[in-house]
Every structure is written in structure tokens, then in C-alpha cells.
Amino acid sequence: MKLRTALFSLAACSISFSSFADVTLNLPNSAELVLVNGVNAEGNAPQTLNNGSNQIAFRYDKNYRENGDTHLFRSEVVVMTFAGNDATYTLQLPHISSAYQAQKFNNHPTMSLLSADGSEVPFKHDVLIKNGLQINRDFPQEIAQYNLSKAPAALASVVTASEIQRMQPAIPATKDNKVDQAYVTKMLNYWYNKADTTTQDNFKASINK
């Protein structure tokens, strides 16, 4: 139990949040937010974010007309990770006016992130895929698991301690229902290596009390 508590403590203290929110992200009307830094979100209002690395998840959501008919396009959930300081950025999505373009975006999403002077801002992106039923998806948990992977747009710093706790029932157990210590060791090593020197020292002090 003490080891599991230490795991949660290390995960929580290794996640740092800036006290200053100096990045503004403008979104097009066709972008529908799903998550902002691991937290449920909706709409497409401008977002004020912390300096440093940030992550959003959104859908491309719009109507288009083709052959005289109106069609609704709602894309898969796109994950975008980028970094910035004291700046305003604008997300731009490609124009979609046909089923071909819609399918092309779903298969290989393309977009641009521009600074105030129109220059391109580097970012990483991916698609948050869930197989099977899509009803009542738990996006915070999905993105937490995604961010603990080596996926292209993963950002471990936005995984909250509460989401780690929610994922704990999946911890492997031995035949006598004890926690698999090899798994716990792996997670301890993961979060310890993510922490800075001060956090590592505080962690070592807490478990030596």
C-alpha cells in the first residue's frame, strides 16, 4: 500500500503547472474541442493556455454541399501538441467540400498552426482512435492512456494524478490477488525518470520517513 501511495505521489509531483497563462489559441468555427490538456472541453472559443507545452483534442465538424445535397462531416478526434511562450496562435484547417476531401482528412489529417505574424509553428498531431462502440467515450481516460505511450503527439506532463488513479484497476495482479510488483516497479521507474532532480529528492525523502 505504501508503495502504491508513493507511485501516486510521484506522478502528482512530477507534473508541473505554470502559474502564468500566456498562450492564446484561436480556433476556426469548424473545430469542435474535445479536450484541452487532458480535461473535457467543447466549443471553439479562443483558449488561454499556460506557457510551455500544451495539447488539445478536437474534431473537424462542418456541413458541406456536394451534388446539390448537404452532408455533415464529423472527423475522428485529432490530437495536437505544441509549445509556445507569450504568443497568440491560430489553428487553420483545410477546406472540405466533398466526400473525398472529408475521407482524406480522416485518413491523414492536415492542418496549420500560425503565429501572429503568419509564420508556421511546429506541432505534432495524431488521431485518437477507439475501436468498437463510440458511445459515451471517456476521453480524459483515453488521452491519459495515450499520453503514457510513445504515440506521436503524446504529452506525459498533462496526465493528471486522478486519471492515473482511475486506471489503477487495470494493474496486473498475481494469483493470490496481490499487486504485480514488477508492474509497480515499472511505473515507479517511469515517473521517477520523468521528474526533475528536486522532485526526485523529495520523493526519496518521503519514502524514507
Side-chain angles (χ1 to χ4, degrees):
M1 181 61 70
K2 183 177 180 180
L3 190 58
R4 178 177 286 193
T5 301
L7 175 62
F8 293 152
S9 299
L10 180 61
C13 66
S14 65
I15 300 168
S16 61
F17 297 92
S18 170
S19 59
F20 300 98
D22 292 317
V23 173
T24 298
L25 176 64
N26 295 317
L27 301 164
N29 291 335
S30 53
E32 181 66 26
L33 284 172
V34 175
L35 295 161
V36 174
N37 287 329
V39 179
N40 282 322
E42 59 183 14
N44 45 43
Q47 300 295 304
T48 303
L49 307 170
N50 291 329
N51 277 333
S53 296
N54 287 281
Q55 181 188 70
I56 65 168
F58 67 93
R59 283 191 173 100
Y60 192 145
D61 197 349
K62 69 163 291 183
N63 294 326
Y64 65 89
R65 288 188 62 80
E66 184 177 28
N67 299 325
D69 295 323
T70 300
H71 304 270
L72 171 63
F73 172 58
R74 199 160 190 248
S75 75
E76 297 283 358
V77 176
V78 179
V79 181
M80 169 186 273
T81 301
F82 63 96
N85 291 281
D86 303 321
T88 297
Y89 300 135
T90 299
L91 173 65
Q92 289 189 345
L93 297 175
H95 179 68
I96 289 180
S97 59
S98 69
Y100 171 78
Q101 292 173 335
Q103 188 60 47
K104 183 179 178 181
F105 183 89
N106 249 349
N107 292 337
H108 301 287
T110 58
M111 63 211 74
S112 299
L113 188 63
L114 304 179
S115 62
D117 63 5
S119 59
E120 299 244 355
V121 178
F123 62 88
K124 297 178 180 179
H125 73 286
D126 198 7
V127 179
L128 189 64
I129 295 291
K130 179 188 177 184
N131 296 320
L133 292 175
Q134 304 296 305
I135 301 173
N136 296 325
R137 290 177 65 175
D138 188 338
F139 288 113
Q141 185 172 26
E142 285 185 40
I143 200 68
Q145 293 173 330
Y146 176 90
N147 283 328
L148 290 174
S149 72
K150 295 182 179 180
L155 186 62
S157 62
V158 305
V159 181
T160 64
S162 61
E163 285 303 324
I164 294 172
Q165 288 178 310
R166 290 180 63 196
M167 291 189 287
Q168 289 314 299
I171 292 179
T174 59
K175 291 181 180 180
D176 55 359
N177 287 326
K178 293 182 179 179
V179 175
D180 185 337
Q181 295 304 300
Y183 181 86
V184 173
T185 299
K186 180 180 178 181
M187 292 303 293
L188 275 170
N189 288 333
Y190 174 87
W191 285 108
Y192 185 84
N193 291 329
K194 286 288 183 183
D196 58 24
T197 302
T198 301
T199 300
Q200 290 175 350
D201 290 342
N202 291 338
F203 173 68
K204 287 186 288 187
S206 69
I207 62 177
N208 288 327
K209 290 180 179 179

